[in-house]
Amino acid sequence: MSSDANKVKSGLGEAFPEIGTIPYNPEAGPDESLVFRYYNRSEVILGRTMEEWLRFSVCYWHTFRGTGADPFGAATFVRPWDDNSNSLENAKHRMRVAFEFMSKLGVRHWTFHDRDIAPEGKDLSESNANLDELVNLALELQESTGIKPLWATCNLFSNPRYMNGAATNPDAHVVAYAAAQVKKGLEVAKKLGAENFVFWGGREGYQSILNTDLHKELSNYANFLRMAVDYKEKISFKGQFLIEPKPKEPTKHQYDYDAMTVIGFLRTFGLEQHFKINVEPNHTTLAGHGNEHDILMASKLGMLGSVDANTGSPDLGWDTDQFPMDVKSCTLVMKAVIEQGGLQPGGLNFDAKVRRESTDAIDLFIAHIGAMDTFARGLRNAAHLIKDGVLDGRIKERYDTFSDGLGAKISKGQATLEECEGFVLKNGEPEQKSGKQEHFERILNYYV
């Protein structure tokens, strides 16, 4: 190991000594990657700064636990600050590097699973003790940097005990273990000041319907979430609870399939007042929807709480967790965010990983900077689109028959089938009206 690496591991040196705080320079050239061309954190747009609208967050698991391994090949990343051991010492080195990275990037939030930051022990007591050590270090680093968790969560999918699920496991012993882990996770979230707490049910589903009692598993899942709500109130944790949809992978079918499925589940079991949705667009496309679909659906129904900002490859059938670099997509996302008044206490968390072939540590910076710039462009575009009002005006015109007469009564839920029949008998066949999709697409392209 080099002397520089030893300094980093001892906590005396920097992991990225060649990189300072990333500056904003709108005049930067195309080959300058360690600079923000569009993200100007203090720029005011529609009454708020970019930083307030975007609320960027770095995820711990992909950025500091990712190795570049995939099902067909071994790890490709070599990080000088990480000896690949499962020791507490190595976990602490890794955390110090993470906060250096986030500070230089200029983000104010981070996200993590409990098992990302601290090694799992031989039993629950040892795991909790390990977690306490790393949480104490995280608290020190948060206080010195001003960075705090956008959200925390528990890894209820990696350990073999959860192979048949956590909250939906057919063994009550496993469900109890998962509940105990969430109890500790909520205590950690409160101590670190997390603004949200996420439930992602990666194993909450089934591989075969033949050995599955669907109603029992869904009911147990709801009861598990009720226990979490009760404990949240007991310890006075003020964070927002979020559920993150995904249709499949690792299970064949995941109960939290998409935003509408989650909303339906919450309303069925009377939990809709306690939870909102954390949308990950790559999960949305795996469900067969467009990239922005779940964000728009959840937002329009008042249930969008946060976004795991990433994207996938539409031609692939698995979760690729790529950094979002499509300006048009980010424009549509930010239009929804502005229209609902912001994401707070949620934000844009980069649940994304550099490609297996992007092996330089500096690539971590380049990927985040590129995505942050893309969302900054999306924010500016969306603000311009909203202020001009052209697109929204055309949409309003399209539905203008609901502004008065029978249409207004339909919109208010005051019409009857008899009234509709009488209207049609009097007025005959409706006039065919073009949807003008191509015109709407051209309007959007004008702003992008």
Side-chain angles (χ1 to χ4, degrees):
M1 183 176 292
S2 70
S3 59
D4 286 345
N6 280 322
K7 287 180 180 178
V8 170
K9 291 183 72 61
S10 68
L12 299 175
E14 293 186 356
F16 310 100
E18 74 282 9
I19 299 175
T21 301
I22 305 301
Y24 168 63
N25 180 5
E27 305 303 321
D31 202 33
E32 297 179 66
S33 292
L34 294 176
V35 60
F36 293 118
R37 297 190 190 93
Y38 302 96
Y39 178 55
N40 178 10
R41 72 186 72 255
S42 60
E43 180 180 335
V44 176
I45 294 177
L46 298 179
R48 295 183 192 174
T49 64
M50 274 196 173
E51 184 174 64
E52 291 169 332
W53 277 119
L54 297 168
R55 292 174 59 80
F56 289 132
S57 174
V58 171
C59 85
Y60 205 89
W61 54 100
H62 284 319
T63 309
F64 302 105
R65 300 307 308 269
T67 65
D70 68 15
F72 302 95
T76 58
F77 302 159
V78 178
R79 306 304 191 205
W81 60 81
D82 196 326
D83 63 15
N84 295 316
S85 74
N86 209 30
S87 69
L88 283 171
E89 180 185 7
N90 192 46
K92 291 176 181 178
H93 297 325
R94 188 188 298 123
M95 182 170 283
R96 292 188 184 97
V97 171
F99 275 83
E100 178 194 339
F101 174 85
M102 293 184 287
S103 295
K104 290 183 173 181
L105 189 62
V107 300
R108 297 287 182 256
H109 298 93
W110 66 303
T111 57
F112 64 94
H113 302 80
D114 50 0
R115 302 302 182 240
D116 297 335
I117 63 173
E120 188 158 9
K122 64 181 184 298
D123 55 28
L124 183 63
S125 294
E126 185 176 293
S127 295
N128 287 349
N130 291 345
L131 190 54
D132 285 338
E133 280 206 46
L134 270 297
V135 167
N136 288 336
L137 175 60
L139 196 58
E140 293 176 14
L141 293 168
Q142 287 184 182
E143 290 173 351
S144 65
T145 61
I147 298 169
K148 65 179 182 178
L150 183 70
W151 52 256
T153 189
C154 291
N155 181 332
L156 302 178
F157 49 88
S158 293
N159 192 289
R161 80 172 69 87
Y162 298 129
M163 66 179 185
N164 291 310
T168 59
N169 198 288
D171 184 345
H173 192 159
V174 177
V175 176
Y177 202 110
Q181 194 173 331
V182 168
K183 173 182 177 292
K184 182 64 174 179
L186 290 172
E187 293 164 359
V188 166
K190 180 184 178 183
K191 183 172 182 176
L192 292 178
E195 296 185 64
N196 304 270
F197 191 90
V198 168
F199 294 84
W200 176 64
R203 305 267 180 204
E204 314 298 4
Y206 61 79
Q207 301 291 6
S208 172
I209 200 69
L210 295 176
N211 63 355
T212 304
D213 185 334
L214 286 173
H215 187 267
K216 182 172 288 294
E217 291 200 2
L218 288 168
S219 297
N220 285 349
Y221 190 18
N223 289 331
F224 185 95
L225 295 176
R226 288 192 188 100
M227 287 192 285
V229 169
D230 290 343
Y231 195 66
K232 171 190 173 183
E233 294 174 353
K234 183 176 182 178
I235 65 173
S236 299
F237 172 54
K238 303 302 182 184
Q240 172 67 53
F241 273 177
L242 302 169
I243 292 183
E244 181 176 323
K246 188 179 183 182
K248 57 187 176 181
E249 192 193 46
T251 56
K252 176 182 177 180
H253 173 82
Q254 191 167 310
Y255 294 134
D256 301 331
Y257 192 89
D258 60 8
M260 288 300 292
T261 303
V262 172
I263 293 169
F265 166 81
L266 293 172
R267 290 180 176 174
T268 296
F269 289 97
L271 290 163
E272 69 274 16
Q273 299 302 316
H274 302 285
F275 291 84
K276 289 193 175 183
I277 310 295
N278 180 49
V279 175
E280 181 176 322
N282 196 176
H283 294 176
T284 303
T285 56
L286 289 179
H289 306 308
N291 194 70
E292 309 83 21
H293 175 273
D294 269 12
I295 290 173
L296 298 176
M297 277 291 188
S299 179
K300 295 306 179 184
L301 293 174
M303 293 294 284
L304 179 62
S306 197
V307 175
D308 266 11
N310 68 8
T311 190
S313 294
D315 53 330
L316 298 177
W318 62 87
D319 202 4
T320 56
D321 290 327
Q322 296 165 235
F323 280 87
M325 301 289 187
D326 185 274
V327 177
K328 184 179 292 186
S329 175
C330 289
T331 297
L332 293 174
V333 170
M334 291 314 301
K335 183 174 185 291
V337 169
I338 292 171
E339 288 174 343
Q340 75 166 34
L343 281 172
Q344 65 286 346
L348 296 173
N349 172 54
F350 291 117
D351 187 353
K353 57 189 175 184
V354 293
R355 298 301 85 194
R356 185 171 186 262
E357 303 78 21
S358 299
T359 54
D360 294 341
I362 198 172
D363 294 327
L364 296 172
F365 279 97
I366 294 171
H368 282 86
I369 292 166
M372 292 166 76
D373 258 354
T374 304
F375 266 106
R377 291 179 68 183
L379 174 61
R380 287 177 178 171
N381 293 343
H384 191 186
L385 188 64
I386 290 169
K387 283 191 292 186
D388 279 6
V390 176
L391 182 64
D392 289 341
R394 294 294 176 266
I395 293 173
K396 184 177 179 180
E397 287 176 9
R398 192 165 182 239
Y399 293 89
D400 65 358
T401 59
F402 291 95
S403 61
D404 55 27
L406 179 63
K409 293 187 72 174
I410 292 173
S411 282
K412 295 175 182 177
Q414 298 171 349
T416 66
L417 293 180
E418 294 91 339
E419 285 180 287
C420 291
E421 180 189 44
F423 180 88
V424 172
L425 291 173
K426 179 181 178 180
N427 294 281
E429 282 293 316
E431 175 188 353
Q432 181 172 291
K433 297 180 181 180
S434 172
K436 296 190 175 297
Q437 176 179 324
E438 297 78 10
H439 181 59
F440 282 79
E441 290 170 342
R442 281 182 55 82
I443 292 173
L444 177 61
N445 284 344
Y446 174 85
Y447 294 93
V448 174

